[in-house]
């Protein structure tokens, strides 16, 4: 996880841009943070030609990943998401991290279900401009056990958001991500994107009191910073969400806060300084049914229960 706002801002003041980044911080230009990644991912059209006699070529095109459907929180990033079975008239859902809750970090082993919330989210369009304020009716589900996720139910439906702002939700994949996949981490808080690939998966990722299962490890190009917590991790080829960004090893520490370590099936520990991680989301759709209602007893649902 990233430091809370106050602690991280203090660290930046006394140490400059090299300090551990904040969850929420001033504009990156004002604190000297320079994004070395591409601000907006542009993917070349893939064109395959066979012979000079072919007069017209139809080639698959991968659209540039943009900010449409992402949201900014007071301290983190997030996105409006739908499950493969969601319908337009279902209440919309916002996904972020469990450690981004307005009530603070859930304890290890704690699972929050159907807790009232009136939290607000800034809805962004493709260009990253805030076009609306969305409001939660409740925290449908949140935990930092096995994964690091929060899912808020909104007071508006997908259809209402589409009708008012012409913005569609991001669809959550229900299949396991694949190593080597080209991905983009889209931060609604910073209005910045980070492009890299899925490097592989950590059997267990341990950070302080928390342990997460089967976490996504990025290649080194995704140098995510504080405030990107909760960002959707988007598969460039499909535009679907495959994970939620949540942490990184900031200074080479071993299994401590802000310095997660990988633990394999034999208990061997690996520390990867400067490498960042996300939590898979493919297991989430099985836990939500008709009208986007949470059902932790549903067949195939493996999310931790209260």
């Amino acid at each position: 996880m990233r430091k809370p706002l106050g602690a991280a801002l203090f660290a930046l003041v006394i140490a400059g841009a090299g300090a551990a980044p904040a969850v929420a911080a001033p504009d990156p230009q004002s604190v000297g943070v320079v994004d070395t990644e591409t601000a907006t991912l542009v993917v070349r059209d893939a064109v395959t030609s066979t012979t000079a006699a072919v007069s017209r070529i139809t080639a698959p095109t991968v659209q540039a990943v943009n900010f449409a459907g992402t949201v900014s929180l007071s301290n983190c990033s997030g996105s409006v998401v739908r499950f493969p079975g969601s319908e337009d008239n279902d209440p919309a859902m916002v996904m972020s991290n469990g450690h981004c809750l307005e009530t603070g970090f859930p304890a290890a082993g704690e699972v929050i279900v159907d807790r009232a919330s009136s939290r607000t989210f800034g809805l962004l369009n493709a260009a990253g401009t805030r076009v609306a304020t969305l409001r939660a009716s409740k925290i449908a589900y949140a935990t930092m056990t096995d994964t690091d996720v929060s899912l808020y139910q909104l007071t508006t439906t997908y259809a209402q958001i589409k009708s008012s702002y012409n913005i569609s939700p991001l669809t959550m994949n229900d299949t396991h991500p694949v190593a080597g996949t080209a991905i983009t981490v889209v931060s609604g808080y910073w209005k910045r994107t980070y492009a890299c690939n899925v490097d592989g998966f950590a059997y267990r990722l341990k950070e302080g009191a928390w342990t997460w299962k089967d976490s996504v490890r990025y290649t080194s190009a995704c140098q995510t910073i504080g405030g990107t917590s909760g960002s959707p991790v988007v598969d460039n080829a499909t535009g679907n969400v495959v994970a939620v960004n949540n942490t990184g090893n900031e200074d080479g520490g071993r299994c401590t806060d802000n310095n997660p370590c990988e633990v394999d099936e034999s208990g061997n520990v690996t520390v990867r300084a400067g490498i960042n991680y996300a939590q898979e989301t493919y297991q989430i759709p099985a836990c939500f049914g008709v009208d986007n209602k949470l059902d932790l007893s549903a067949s195939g649902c493996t999310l931790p229960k209260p």
Side-chain angles (χ1 to χ4, degrees):
M1 295 85 66
R2 306 300 185 182
K3 287 186 175 66
L5 172 59
L9 284 178
F10 180 72
L12 284 169
V13 168
I14 63 173
V23 167
D27 183 270
Q29 299 302 320
S30 69
V31 295
V33 177
V34 179
D35 182 9
T36 58
E37 302 304 322
T38 308
T40 303
L41 176 67
V42 178
V43 181
R44 295 191 186 94
D45 292 351
V47 180
T48 304
S49 69
T50 52
T51 67
V54 178
S55 60
R56 185 174 65 89
I57 299 172
T58 301
T61 300
V62 179
Q63 299 298 319
V65 175
N66 60 47
F67 296 96
T70 63
V71 300
S72 59
L73 284 68
S74 58
N75 58 345
C76 288
S77 300
S79 56
V80 180
V81 294
R82 69 181 300 155
F83 312 117
S86 295
E87 298 182 350
D88 290 346
N89 61 353
D90 288 341
M93 309 290 291
V94 162
M95 180 177 68
S96 189
N97 284 148
H99 80 259
C100 292
L101 290 178
E102 65 270 36
T103 52
F105 290 11
E110 182 180 5
V111 175
I112 297 165
V113 172
D114 291 336
R115 177 183 293 177
S117 172
S118 58
R119 191 170 195 180
T120 58
F121 312 90
L123 177 66
L124 306 185
N125 64 14
T129 301
R130 180 171 178 153
V131 296
T133 298
L134 305 176
R135 185 175 296 276
S137 61
K138 66 179 180 180
I139 301 168
Y141 183 88
T143 192
M144 287 177 65
T145 298
D146 293 355
T147 185
D148 183 7
V149 70
S150 58
L151 289 153
Y152 290 83
Q153 182 174 300
L154 302 186
T155 58
T156 46
T157 66
Y158 299 118
Q160 288 170 329
I161 294 172
K162 178 69 173 180
S163 175
S164 297
Y165 313 109
N166 196 30
I167 292 175
S168 299
L170 303 181
T171 298
M172 190 181 294
N173 262 11
D174 58 3
T175 56
H176 194 286
V178 177
T181 299
I183 55 174
T184 303
V185 181
V186 189
S187 172
Y189 181 86
W190 286 113
K191 302 177 179 62
R192 290 159 65 175
T193 61
Y194 302 81
C196 62
N197 293 77
V198 175
D199 184 55
F201 307 96
Y203 175 72
R204 296 289 184 268
L205 191 67
K206 181 173 175 55
E207 180 173 344
W210 297 275
T211 300
W212 304 305
K213 296 180 178 178
D214 197 20
S215 303
V216 173
R217 181 197 315 116
Y218 304 143
T219 52
S220 59
C222 274
Q223 289 296 305
T224 50
I225 63 174
T228 63
S229 289
S231 298
V233 180
V234 178
D235 181 331
N236 294 349
T238 65
N240 291 346
V241 176
V242 296
V244 58
N245 180 67
N246 82 308
T247 194
N249 187 292
E250 295 182 358
D251 52 28
R254 181 184 172 96
C255 313
T256 60
D257 289 352
N258 305 308
N259 289 289
C261 64
E262 298 183 21
V263 183
D264 69 16
E265 293 174 86
S266 300
N268 299 309
V269 175
T270 301
V271 173
R272 302 179 191 269
I275 294 298
N276 296 293
Y277 299 88
Q279 299 308 307
E280 296 167 353
T281 52
Y282 77 96
Q283 71 277 35
I284 295 175
C287 303
F288 285 83
V290 176
D291 297 330
N292 279 352
K293 289 183 179 178
L294 178 68
D295 182 2
L296 294 176
S297 64
S299 175
C301 178
T302 59
L303 288 177
K305 300 173 175 58

